[in-house]
Amino acid sequence: MATLVLSTVGSALGGPIGGAIGALIGQSIDQQVLGPGTRGPRVGDLGVQTSSYGSQVPRIYGTMRVAGTVLWSTDLVESTQTAGAKGQPDTTYSYAVSFAVALSSRLATGGIGRIWADGKLLRGEAGDFKVPVTFRFYEGSEDQPVDPLIGSIEGISATPAYRGLALAMFENLELAEYGNRIPFLTFEVVADAMAPTLGAVLNDAGGPAIDCNDERIVGGYAAYGKSIGQAIEPLVTSFGIELFEAGAVLRGPASQTVTVIDMDDLGNSADGQPAPIIQREQKPARALPATVRLSYYDPARDYQTAEARAVASEEPGAEQQRELPAVLDAAQAKGLAQAMLARSWAERDTLTLRFAPDQLALEPGTRVELDLSPRLWTVSKCTIDGLVVVAELRPTSGAMTALSADPGRVLATNDAIEGEVSLAVIDAATLPGQSPAEPTVLVAASSATAGWRARPVEVRYGGQRIAARTARRKAVLGAADNSLGGADPAVIDTVNTIDVTLVDPDQWLVNCTDEAFADGTNLALVGKELIQFGRADPTGPGQFSLSRLMRGVSGTQWAIGEHVADEPFVLIEPDAFAAIALPPWAAAFPITVVSGERSAALTLTQPAAIADPSGGATTDSEARAAIAQMLSAMRQQGWIGS
């Protein structure tokens, strides 16, 4: 006859899960194959990124955070950037890598949400990446194509499409943010648009071997292990899911109808000898857990591991630790832990009843009401002894209810979306105390949003292009709202004011004393004139009115009369600039710095005089003409590009 499966599943569950989970072979349900000595996956297993042969790839349901398995990778690709004065080059090395990560052995139609690298967001909730990379996601369909990068390197005929595996593909992930090494990655995998039911998870994991209609919801679940039994055991055991053997299928209860049993109908025997009406056995209290600890994944903690605890009494006793690779909120987890503890104590009782042949319809899962305490029982096993129906019953457990619980705090990760970059380029020679041997430009960059990282830029001059990067720190950059009037550079200008609007409205300008001017405090470039400001009065978000001005600082008094509205404003802070040294002849050409669709241009101040063979020196215009003529000849000879 049929047998109730409580925390066990047997040979009916044999068969593969996504090629990653083996089969149960030669074991029956009655052997308690998931009893002591066999267990499901540990919660922490999902957080271990692997790249070895034979690594299991879980089947993901709902939404989970997993590390995945690296399937393919290139070597690190090195690139260099050289800057600095002639004879003293400063070479910077950077690295990138391309690789593919398997995330689920089940179709992930919802795609990928956030991605964490070394615990920091690599991909934000809006789908934006925090470092440069080309990303592709394959949901694991049976007709997904070969990735073009892998195919181009390995050869199309030698490259699998990894069909049936949800795959994340990174192309040229820049590693500067991670110490020029591949970071540890975890992924928010959205396998299903809606949270699945427990029944749906079990039916998919077990294929035709399981037919379960449990309608309880779970936020996400990862089914993996050495067998299908191990893959689903944590779910079955933790939630107390009832599965009954019905031929080759394990099914849920056929009906929730309660059968009322009269005590006078009990005590039947096949041989006519007196039989006990009730046989009741009870486990000793010391064999039951006093505390249950449940580990799970909490979405309020960015799907990190959390723990719920339920206690039967303050008396010391056994502690039961359960690890459930499922997504629950704190209230659900608290209620589930309490239900697990209550079920352990409720099921300490076992009844054996003997019915007349008119109860042959009894089967595992049937709910029975008896004049006992407790009144509701569930048939767990039925056998036929002659014409007597011998049934084993256990108390019927109550439904799980959510309890008040606090998930605790999690260290929030910065998920600011990077805004479009704004640029300014400054001649280093105009700043106080600066006299570089080679022409040098300072690149300042900012954006309107809080998200910031060093951005790649391209510096163009005289037909040449070099790659560079902005500073790691955002500059205080903006524009003048009005045209700054004329003034005497010898005294503090108390007449004029300059209104500025910063690119980032969260940045701030501060006041300083007149004495602080001598230390270079509040030095800024407005247009082509260097000024210092003593007062910065806020007038709106990112807007300030600057007054008490020192004008024409560092010899820029020639620019006092050249101001126009909407010209650049840049606060001079050395660590907010990227210094880029150029060859001497670059001074003859406009310098343009480009990032995406944004650019900023500059013509360098007086280029160094070029000595002629007679010992004289050329004028500025003669120097520019000579350099231009030289470059033209070099291009014609093919020595440099156009």
Side-chain angles (χ1 to χ4, degrees):
M1 296 296 290
T3 304
L4 170 66
V5 182
L6 298 176
S7 61
T8 65
V9 289
S11 58
L13 295 185
I17 278 189
I21 300 174
L24 289 171
I25 300 175
Q27 299 191 77
S28 69
I29 295 172
D30 293 332
Q31 291 177 300
Q32 302 289 302
V33 296
L34 293 181
T38 307
R39 58 172 307 283
R42 296 180 65 86
V43 166
D45 293 344
L46 291 183
V48 179
Q49 192 163 15
T50 60
S51 58
S52 58
Y53 289 107
S55 298
Q56 298 174 11
V57 180
R59 290 178 71 83
I60 301 299
Y61 302 87
T63 300
M64 293 288 293
R65 180 174 174 176
V66 299
T69 300
V70 177
L71 297 178
W72 177 89
S73 176
T74 64
D75 293 330
L76 298 188
V77 178
E78 182 182 271
S79 59
T80 61
Q81 176 184 320
T82 302
K86 183 177 180 180
Q88 295 180 328
D90 180 14
T91 302
T92 302
Y93 297 89
S94 59
Y95 298 87
V97 68
S98 301
F99 56 97
V101 183
L103 302 174
S104 173
S105 57
R106 176 177 177 267
L107 194 68
T109 56
I112 292 293
R114 293 167 293 176
I115 302 175
W116 292 265
D118 289 345
K120 299 185 297 184
L121 277 177
L122 168 62
R123 185 178 195 253
E125 194 166 0
D128 60 304
F129 280 87
K130 313 303 181 182
V131 301
V133 67
T134 299
F135 180 76
R136 294 181 290 277
F137 177 70
Y138 300 93
E139 63 181 20
S141 67
E142 294 301 328
D143 59 354
Q144 70 186 19
V146 170
D147 182 80
L149 177 64
I150 303 178
S152 66
I153 294 176
E154 304 293 343
I156 295 296
S157 61
T159 303
Y162 301 107
R163 290 168 181 159
L165 287 178
L167 198 69
M169 181 68 202
F170 295 85
E171 183 174 344
N172 292 327
L173 173 66
E174 292 195 7
L175 302 177
E177 292 288 328
Y178 311 106
N180 287 327
R181 61 172 179 78
I182 299 176
F184 174 74
L185 300 173
T186 52
F187 302 78
E188 185 179 23
V189 180
V190 186
D192 306 282
M194 302 293 290
T197 65
L198 300 181
V201 173
L202 295 178
N203 293 341
D204 180 84
I210 295 181
D211 180 15
C212 179
N213 59 1
D214 195 311
E215 294 298 320
R216 286 176 289 180
I217 298 294
V218 62
Y221 185 73
Y224 69 114
K226 295 181 180 179
S227 66
I228 294 177
Q230 286 190 13
I232 66 172
E233 182 268 339
L235 200 65
V236 172
T237 303
S238 299
F239 283 91
I241 298 173
E242 297 176 334
L243 294 176
F244 304 92
E245 181 186 5
V249 178
L250 299 180
R251 60 165 178 80
S255 172
Q256 295 296 324
T257 302
V258 176
T259 300
V260 179
I261 300 295
D262 192 320
M263 302 296 286
D264 293 337
D265 295 334
L266 303 177
N268 295 273
S269 66
D271 56 7
Q273 298 298 317
I277 296 176
I278 295 175
Q279 286 180 271
R280 186 166 184 171
E281 298 179 358
Q282 189 176 71
K283 293 180 181 178
R286 64 178 179 273
L288 301 172
T291 302
V292 168
R293 294 181 181 273
L294 175 67
S295 298
Y296 64 100
Y297 294 104
D298 193 335
R301 295 170 50 85
D302 289 342
Y303 298 95
Q304 296 183 75
T305 305
E307 183 180 81
R309 180 171 177 266
V311 179
S313 72
E314 296 301 323
E315 297 295 326
E319 183 174 281
Q320 183 182 82
Q321 176 71 50
R322 295 294 306 175
E323 300 194 32
L324 178 64
V327 173
L328 306 169
D329 61 37
Q332 287 178 305
K334 182 71 172 179
L336 181 58
Q338 194 68 49
M340 292 168 61
L341 183 62
R343 190 164 58 247
S344 296
W345 282 81
E347 293 175 356
R348 66 186 298 197
D349 284 326
T350 301
L351 283 184
T352 301
L353 305 179
R354 291 171 173 80
F355 299 95
D358 60 355
Q359 295 293 346
L360 284 173
L362 281 180
E363 61 178 357
T366 301
R367 302 290 194 266
V368 172
E369 182 178 346
L370 298 168
D371 189 17
L372 293 172
S373 179
R375 297 188 65 85
L376 291 180
W377 297 74
T378 299
V379 176
S380 59
K381 185 177 182 179
C382 287
T383 57
I384 304 299
D385 182 12
L387 293 179
V388 175
V389 179
V390 182
E392 293 183 8
L393 299 88
R394 58 166 178 79
T396 300
S397 301
M400 182 192 84
T401 58
L403 300 176
S404 177
D406 184 355
R409 293 187 300 173
V410 62
L411 183 62
T413 53
N414 181 21
D415 192 14
I417 300 175
E418 294 179 348
E420 190 173 21
V421 68
S422 295
L423 297 170
V425 58
I426 302 170
D427 184 354
T430 64
L431 299 186
Q434 299 294 314
S435 55
E438 304 287 351
T440 302
V441 295
L442 305 176
V443 177
S446 183
S447 67
T449 57
W452 181 255
R453 60 175 171 82
R455 312 288 186 92
V457 295
E458 187 176 73
V459 183
R460 302 174 182 176
Y461 54 90
Q464 303 301 300
R465 300 185 179 193
I466 62 172
R469 297 184 72 84
T470 65
R472 295 175 65 89
R473 177 186 166 190
K474 181 188 293 188
V476 179
L477 180 64
D481 298 328
N482 62 310
S483 176
L484 187 57
D488 183 353
V491 296
I492 294 178
D493 182 358
T494 59
V495 176
N496 292 292
T497 60
I498 177 70
D499 298 328
V500 298
T501 299
L502 304 182
V503 172
D504 183 352
D506 291 332
Q507 289 180 325
W508 199 260
L509 301 176
V510 297
N511 301 333
C512 77
T513 64
D514 295 346
E515 290 76 13
F517 284 161
D519 297 327
T521 304
N522 282 359
L523 180 66
L525 185 70
V526 180
K528 298 178 181 179
E529 181 191 356
L530 279 172
I531 70 167
Q532 288 177 273
F533 55 92
R535 289 198 57 83
D537 296 313
T539 58
Q543 297 177 318
F544 297 86
S545 178
L546 309 181
S547 58
R548 291 198 63 81
L549 310 175
M550 285 290 292
R551 304 293 300 275
V553 176
S554 190
T556 59
Q557 60 268 25
W558 58 271
I560 289 178
E562 298 188 4
H563 290 287
V564 295
D566 204 34
E567 62 189 354
F569 168 87
V570 187
L571 188 67
I572 305 302
E573 299 175 295
D575 58 346
F577 297 109
I580 302 170
L582 306 174
W585 55 264
F589 299 93
I591 311 298
T592 304
V593 178
V594 179
S595 177
E597 298 182 355
R598 295 295 186 94
S599 64
L602 171 73
T603 300
L604 295 175
T605 57
Q606 305 289 327
I610 301 176
D612 64 22
S614 63
T618 64
T619 64
D620 178 24
S621 60
E622 289 172 337
R624 292 181 185 276
I627 293 174
Q629 185 177 7
M630 176 183 66
L631 290 174
S632 177
M634 293 172 71
R635 290 194 191 96
Q636 290 178 3
Q637 295 296 323
W639 295 345
I640 62 175
S642 57

